[in-house]
Amino acid sequence: MSSPGINGDPKPPCLPRNGLVKLPGQPNGLGTASITKGTPAAKNRPCHPPPLSLPPPSLAAPPPRAALAGGLCPPAGLPLGGPASAPVPGPPAERPPLATDEKILNGLFWYFSACEKCVLAQVCKAWRRVLYQPKFWAGLTPVLHAKELYTVLPGGEKEFVSLQGFAARGFEGFCLVGVSDLDICEFIDNYALSKKGVKAMSLKRSTITDAGLEVMLEQMQGVVRLELSGCNDFTEAGLWSSLSARITSLSVSDCINVADDAIAAISQLLPNLAELSLQAYHVTDTALAYFTARQGHSTHTLRLLSCWEITNHGVVNVVHSLPNLTALSLSGCSKVTDDGVELVAENLRKLRSLDLSWCPRITDMALEYVACDLHRLEELVLDRCRTLG
């Protein structure tokens, strides 16, 4: 009798015969196996197919990558593991060497000083291209001496140097030392940003005249900060003819032709003046009376350096004309006494910086006035005040 199987097929009987039990065939390709009662364990191992003979490794072709992974090799032209429409990814993009990687250099060059940057810009073109960005030179002022502005040609003639490197770095201010009217005109013609891009000009120990000063400020329309130091060839008439209302910061020092009339020109021609620094031996109390209410609203910094003729009467003119001062220097004004300091403390309550250095007539009483009234003061300079206790 045969019993029905799971799907209705007849199930062959398993009959013992001579102590042997015949098992049905397994679908795993190992063939049939037999278990014998009382036989050693070695005889119960399954039967394995004979080993395959493989060619030597040197003669065998490398197997496909998919075959090594246990899968099938896809047809030619199809990417592995994706549909036929997926694009074939290319090789990864090669990064530039670290020495020329602009992203790394842009962060690295911030740690060097201005002098070091000038040297590093000469290493290679890639470094110079990165270093010549204006952000690395903001706030710096190049100093050019007159002898550095020209190169001597083989024939003995002089040629003005190229300023393209300065223009590429976007410098907004220059300091010219020992220049003449002609040198300034050459600078204006050869520097691409001179008309509108230069915001600050400083002339030191130069022979500029009234005509040169007038041409410079007329041509360089962007200048709002001007410094004249050790320039003895221009006069007060030059200031009257050249000063422009756009100037917000002016510094004049060691110019022998500057006196009271120069202060009159400054007060009348510069209504937007925010900062004035003056070092002149011939300026008197009368000059400080020229300041008007226009400067009173805009001027916040006044430095009177070594103005030997200014007395307490000049201080009276200052405190009434410029009530919004936040920084005042009377350094070297040797005729100012404690009474002048009292006027400052009572009327200039917004002061944050006060310089009384080299004022030999200041005593401890002046310090009491300062302590009682100037509550916003952050800086007090008393260098070389010998009469203080």
Side-chain angles (χ1 to χ4, degrees):
M1 293 284 301
S2 61
S3 59
I6 298 177
N7 297 326
D9 298 332
K11 182 178 180 181
C14 296
L15 301 177
R17 179 180 171 182
N18 299 327
L20 300 178
V21 178
K22 186 177 182 180
L23 300 179
Q26 302 297 326
N28 54 9
L30 299 179
T32 60
S34 62
I35 300 178
T36 306
K37 294 182 179 180
T39 57
K43 296 183 179 181
N44 294 333
R45 295 176 181 173
C47 300
H48 295 280
L52 299 177
S53 60
L54 299 177
S58 60
L59 301 179
R65 184 169 54 182
L68 294 177
L72 298 177
C73 183
L78 293 180
L80 298 176
S85 59
V88 180
E94 295 184 1
R95 293 190 61 182
L98 294 180
T100 57
D101 191 329
E102 294 191 3
K103 184 177 180 180
I104 295 179
L105 294 177
N106 271 288
L108 176 66
F109 288 148
W110 285 111
Y111 294 93
F112 295 92
S113 65
C115 295
E116 292 170 338
K117 291 174 187 176
C118 293
V119 177
L120 294 174
Q122 304 176 34
V123 172
C124 63
K125 293 182 178 180
W127 286 27
R128 181 174 61 186
R129 182 172 58 253
V130 174
L131 278 169
Y132 270 30
Q133 299 178 85
K135 64 181 181 180
F136 289 113
W137 309 94
L140 298 177
T141 302
V143 180
L144 301 178
H145 293 258
K147 60 182 180 180
E148 300 173 346
L149 297 177
Y150 298 92
T151 56
V152 181
L153 301 177
E157 298 180 355
K158 291 184 178 181
E159 182 182 26
F160 201 83
V161 297
S162 174
L163 299 176
Q164 293 181 357
F166 294 98
R169 286 172 279 184
F171 285 110
E172 296 184 349
F174 282 88
C175 177
L176 304 181
V177 181
V179 296
S180 62
D181 293 351
L182 179 60
D183 299 331
I184 294 174
C185 293
E186 290 285 352
F187 174 83
I188 295 174
D189 293 338
N190 288 274
Y191 188 60
L193 304 179
S194 63
K195 305 291 184 178
K196 298 290 185 181
V198 177
K199 307 297 183 185
M201 280 297 296
S202 175
L203 303 179
K204 295 185 177 181
R205 302 190 300 276
S206 299
T207 58
I208 184 172
T209 65
D210 295 345
L213 186 61
E214 184 177 357
V215 169
M216 184 185 72
L217 293 179
E218 181 180 353
Q219 294 291 325
M220 305 178 71
Q221 292 291 321
V223 173
V224 295
R225 299 186 297 274
L226 177 63
E227 179 183 5
L228 302 172
S229 178
C231 301
N232 297 323
D233 290 345
F234 78 91
T235 65
E236 295 171 327
L239 294 178
W240 279 103
S241 61
S242 60
L243 290 182
S244 173
R246 67 176 181 271
I247 294 179
T248 60
S249 177
L250 177 63
S251 176
V252 181
S253 61
D254 286 330
C255 300
I256 61 175
N257 294 319
V258 173
D260 291 353
D261 198 39
I263 307 302
I266 293 172
S267 62
Q268 295 188 29
L269 299 176
L270 304 181
N272 300 316
L273 188 66
E275 181 177 354
L276 174 62
S277 181
L278 183 65
Q279 191 266 314
Y281 305 118
H282 308 295
V283 172
T284 65
D285 297 336
T286 304
L288 301 181
Y290 291 135
F291 290 110
T292 63
R294 292 186 299 177
Q295 283 84 24
H297 295 289
S298 59
T299 305
H300 57 73
T301 300
L302 177 64
R303 300 184 182 93
L304 301 175
L305 309 175
S306 299
C307 296
W308 297 338
E309 301 299 325
I310 292 180
T311 66
N312 294 337
H313 295 289
V315 175
V316 172
N317 295 333
V318 168
V319 298
H320 290 304
S321 302
L322 306 175
N324 294 318
L325 286 179
T326 58
L328 174 64
S329 175
L330 298 174
S331 177
C333 298
S334 55
K335 294 184 178 180
V336 175
T337 65
D338 293 344
D339 293 336
V341 178
E342 183 181 11
L343 289 170
V344 170
E346 290 179 351
N347 295 276
L348 301 180
R349 300 298 182 91
K350 298 180 181 179
L351 275 184
R352 297 181 179 276
S353 175
L354 178 61
D355 186 355
L356 299 175
S357 60
W358 295 95
C359 293
R361 302 188 183 187
I362 299 298
T363 67
D364 295 342
M365 186 61 67
L367 298 183
E368 184 176 347
Y369 298 143
V370 171
C372 292
D373 297 324
L374 297 180
H375 303 295
R376 298 185 181 182
L377 195 66
E378 300 174 358
E379 180 185 28
L380 177 61
V381 182
L382 300 171
D383 188 30
R384 300 299 190 276
C385 293
R386 296 172 296 179
T387 56
L388 293 178

